[in-house]
Amino acid sequence: MSAGSERGGGLAALIRRPPVCVGPELSVREALGRMGAGRVGTVVVVDSASFQPLGILTRRDAIERVALVGGDLDAPVASVMTGGVVALPLQASPHQARLILARNDLRHLVVVDESGRFAGVVSRSDLYASRWPLADDLVEAIQAASSADALAAAARQVQASAAAMVDRGESAGRINEWIAILNDLIVLTAIDLAEAEFDLPLVRWCWLAFGSEGRLEQTLVTDQDNGLIFATDKGEDPDLLRARFLPFAQHVNALLDQCGFSLCKGGVMAGNPKWCLSLAEWRGCFAEWMRAASADDLLNSTIFFDFRPLAGDWALPMALKRWLLQVAADNPLFLRFMAANALQSGPPLGRIRDFVVDRETGQLDLKRDGCRPFVDAARIYALALGLPETSTAERIRAAGAALHWDSRECDALVEALDFIQQLRLRRQRVPGSPANRVSPDDLNDLERAFLKESFRQARRLQHKLQTRYQL
């Protein structure tokens, strides 16, 4: 049997070989032969008619369940396969796949197309370039937490381990992704604990991450930016559903606050009725922001347009994102407003001195003046070009590929962002130091030179945006 699927972004790019699958009636012996011929250790068992995955069989399964117990190698694979396949669509991100693997303690993940037909398999080795330190112990501690206190203790372990990675000088991109995986697991466990206490409506719903959490760019100091989306497939009253979801969402927000994710001062949380919405209501919000494009609307775009699914039915936010990318790309005036807003301030580079610092503190704001130019420009390119990527680095690379930028130019932009992020993380490790701020006098000559060049790269990216929208 074979499957055809279009290759694109997301997990599609990680499927390195044609998928190997068998029908449920094939013998274990023949399945092992297929594994040998395909030089793989896993086959997926699919329905012969619909081609939807039914189960998975690994070489280890065949040895332990058949060979070592004197079983019949001519028995059908359906009798020894592992059923209940965990699958993700081709368009899902590698981060989503890593989260699912960690959440379910899996080694392989089945990938399906939009029709649910088998498209391939990705493994841990496909998703992890190298093993993360202490990740297994931390994952176990998070998922074993059966109370708020236990989960908060696991969250403190994550913070300590992340700080140790900063002290070792690991790259910001690696640290951000590591933090994102474990923080996501903390959120998922908090949701599990809360679900056990509430009688939720029997409709599809999903917990959303926004802002830096949505972009997988959380640092050591973070607050909550989240929301909830639910379906009204059968004409349910969204107000009645919202009233039932809100106590649950507020409890999750409180649990996360106990775990060190402080409550959002701006109220961007799922427990706020403004951000616990049906799919139609979320579309209405985005449509109104793009139509009016007021100062508040442009501010909302910097938070909410970077959403990604966390817990629940991922199909809802994926449908919302497909709609948003299509509508935004057809709204060049709103994108131009976003670009003009993003260009109101530039990197703090002086004509005479290296840097333009705050007059009162003598410091630079690495988040506002350093990271934000990259983040804002990358978001606009993602919306304009219909790019599903969420993180800033991925958006820059995807935009570069779509617009035929020189690959070395893209590398320089990503490396500049990574340096600024790493400097932010290091400053957050200095006791008593304001988060995200640094005085140039506290940097050595090499760091000053790197920071200056990083700001220059931010300026180059802003110039591209300025040229594109003729601002």
Side-chain angles (χ1 to χ4, degrees), residues 226-303:
N226 49 56
L228 193 143
I229 183 173
F230 55 85
T232 53
D233 297 330
K234 299 178 181 178
E236 297 93 342
D237 185 337
D239 288 330
L240 294 178
L241 292 177
R242 185 166 23 258
R244 293 184 62 186
F245 275 118
L246 282 173
F248 155 75
Q250 289 162 1
H251 188 57
V252 175
N253 290 145
L255 286 173
L256 295 177
D257 182 49
Q258 190 173 340
C259 290
F261 307 109
S262 58
L263 299 175
C264 176
K265 294 179 181 178
V268 181
M269 293 178 291
N272 183 338
K274 291 177 62 177
W275 314 125
C276 179
L277 305 173
S278 70
L279 173 58
E281 289 171 329
W282 275 113
R283 284 178 175 170
C285 282
F286 283 113
E288 177 60 21
W289 293 333
M290 288 185 281
R291 184 195 67 79
S294 68
D296 286 343
D297 296 329
L298 293 172
L299 176 61
N300 284 334
S301 72
T302 67
I303 301 171

Side-chain angles (χ1 to χ4, degrees), residues 396-397 406-417 457:
I396 289 173
R397 293 195 185 281
D406 188 291
S407 62
R408 293 171 298 181
E409 187 177 17
C410 291
D411 290 342
L413 291 169
V414 171
E415 288 168 10
L417 174 63
Q457 291 296 328

Side-chain angles (χ1 to χ4, degrees), residues 7 15 109 121 148 211 216 226 241 272 286 330 354 457 467:
R7 293 292 181 260
I15 300 176
L109 189 64
V121 173
L216 313 175
N226 49 56
L241 292 177
N272 183 338
F286 283 113
D330 291 336
D354 287 347
Q457 291 296 328
T467 302

Side-chain angles (χ1 to χ4, degrees), residues 293-302 334-346 372 376 379-380 462 465 471:
S294 68
D296 286 343
D297 296 329
L298 293 172
L299 176 61
N300 284 334
S301 72
T302 67
F334 173 69
L335 295 175
R336 193 172 191 274
F337 282 142
M338 285 186 70
N341 187 61
L343 295 173
Q344 284 185 357
S345 60
R372 185 171 295 172
D376 288 348
R379 180 188 302 110
I380 293 165
Q462 285 192 325
L465 204 61
L471 295 169

